[in-house]
């Protein structure tokens, strides 16, 4: 939709991977719609995933006992975060939709993406209790997880060895995105990406582009425990 702002936070090392192709097609399709699209390519940026004293410019709030959460919060309030974090927060502020594109690692996101979450979505910027969940500071923004898995869909079913894929989404979608106020769209999951035939890969990419063509008409999921664990 013309005039919409989108941020893609991309965490894959290989442009020729399915994740890379999905990211590229996302940029192309959304630009066709007249959207302004920004990409944070975390590996290309060599984004620092660690939360350290180096994130704070100037004096610490409590130099005798370093607490990253408190220090980042106070630094955000005082304009004392490093430039890389300020730039990412500006991108988030502008975006009406944030798409996270990544391969699933150990039932979660890659460390470099988790580090982006840890360092960018700090207190005061993304949340400030009790301003969390439906009252989170990033409310009125949409978020979507688009990711690939190693295992097939059956493996991530209720009776599969990994359990229902929705169980894994609880900490990522609810514990991070919804906590910060995002309205969460249904995830885009590409199962067993490394074992896809060329035909299946083409179908997967085509289906994603088709979804993007109506993405602005979608309604967010009901981000409540029942959505994730209703079949237990």
């Amino acid at each position: 939709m013309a005039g919409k702002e989108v941020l893609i936070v991309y965490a894959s090392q290989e442009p020729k991977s399915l994740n890379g192709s999905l990211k590229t097609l996302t940029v192309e399709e959304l630009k066709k719609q007249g959207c302004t699209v920004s990409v944070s390519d975390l590996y290309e940026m060599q984004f620092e995933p660690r939360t350290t004293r180096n994130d704070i410019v100037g004096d610490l709030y409590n130099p005798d006992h370093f607490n990253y959460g408190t220090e980042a919060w106070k630094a955000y309030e005082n304009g004392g975060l490093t430039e890389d974090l300020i730039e990412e927060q500006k991108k988030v502020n502008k975006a009406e939709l944030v798409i996270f594109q990544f391969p699933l690692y150990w039932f979660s996101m890659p460390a470099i993406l988790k580090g982006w979450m840890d360092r960018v979505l700090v207190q005061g910027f993304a949340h400030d209790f009790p301003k969390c969940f439906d009252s989170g500071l990033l409310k009125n923004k949409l978020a979507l997880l688009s990711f690939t898995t190693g295992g097939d869909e059956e493996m991530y079913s209720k009776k599969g060895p990994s359990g229902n894929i929705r169980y894994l989404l609880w900490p990522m979608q609810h514990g991070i995105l919804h906590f910060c106020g995002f309205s969460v769209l249904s995830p885009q999951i590409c199962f067993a990406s490394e074992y896809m035939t060329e035909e299946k890969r083409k179908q997967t990419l085509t289906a994603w582009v088709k979804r993007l063509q109506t993405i602005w008409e979608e309604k967010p999921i009901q981000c409540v425990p029942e959505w994730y664990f209703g079949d237990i």
Side-chain angles (χ1 to χ4, degrees), residues 202-217:
K202 289 179 181 177
Q203 291 173 359
T204 298
L205 295 173
T206 299
W208 174 233
V209 171
K210 185 176 181 180
R211 181 181 176 187
L212 287 171
Q213 290 170 351
T214 57
I215 196 74
W216 301 106
E217 300 170 17

Side-chain angles (χ1 to χ4, degrees), residues 165-202:
I165 191 73
R166 289 192 178 191
Y167 305 160
L168 312 187
L169 293 169
W170 171 257
M172 293 187 284
Q173 289 189 165
H174 183 72
I176 301 175
L177 301 179
H178 186 209
F179 185 86
C180 294
F182 282 109
S183 295
V184 181
L185 299 179
S186 293
Q188 185 74 14
I189 307 171
C190 300
F191 292 99
S193 60
E194 294 181 21
Y195 305 100
M196 283 183 179
T197 64
E198 189 59 32
E199 182 61 29
K200 177 62 176 176
R201 181 187 174 96
K202 289 179 181 177

Side-chain angles (χ1 to χ4, degrees), residues 18 22 44 67 103 120 123 127 133-134 151 157 171 190 192 203 212 225:
L18 184 59
L22 289 163
E44 185 179 72
N67 179 301
V120 175
Q123 185 174 356
H127 58 88
F133 295 117
D134 290 343
S157 66
C190 300
Q203 291 173 359
L212 287 171

Side-chain angles (χ1 to χ4, degrees), residues 55-124:
D55 289 347
I56 315 301
V57 177
D59 296 333
L60 294 176
Y61 175 74
N62 182 359
D64 296 324
H65 183 88
F66 183 76
N67 179 301
Y68 184 84
T70 299
E71 295 295 343
W73 171 30
K74 295 300 182 182
Y76 173 77
E77 288 185 331
N78 298 322
L81 290 175
T82 51
E83 190 63 28
D84 62 332
L85 300 185
I86 292 172
E87 285 303 307
E88 293 305 298
Q89 289 172 346
K90 286 179 179 177
K91 293 176 189 177
V92 174
N93 270 334
K94 288 181 180 179
E96 293 162 85
L97 167 63
V98 182
I99 298 174
F100 298 91
Q101 184 67 58
F102 61 96
L104 195 71
Y105 281 6
W106 291 114
F107 282 26
S108 187
M109 61 189 72
I112 198 167
L113 178 54
K114 181 55 164 58
W116 186 95
M117 302 282 191
D118 292 343
R119 296 180 66 223
V120 175
L121 302 179
V122 299
Q123 185 174 356

Side-chain angles (χ1 to χ4, degrees), residues 138-158:
L138 301 181
K139 62 184 179 181
N140 301 321
K141 296 181 182 293
L142 298 170
L144 187 154
L145 299 182
S146 175
F147 61 93
T148 60
T149 72
D152 60 21
E153 191 167 3
E154 184 177 353
M155 180 174 285
Y156 288 100
S157 66
K158 180 182 178 182

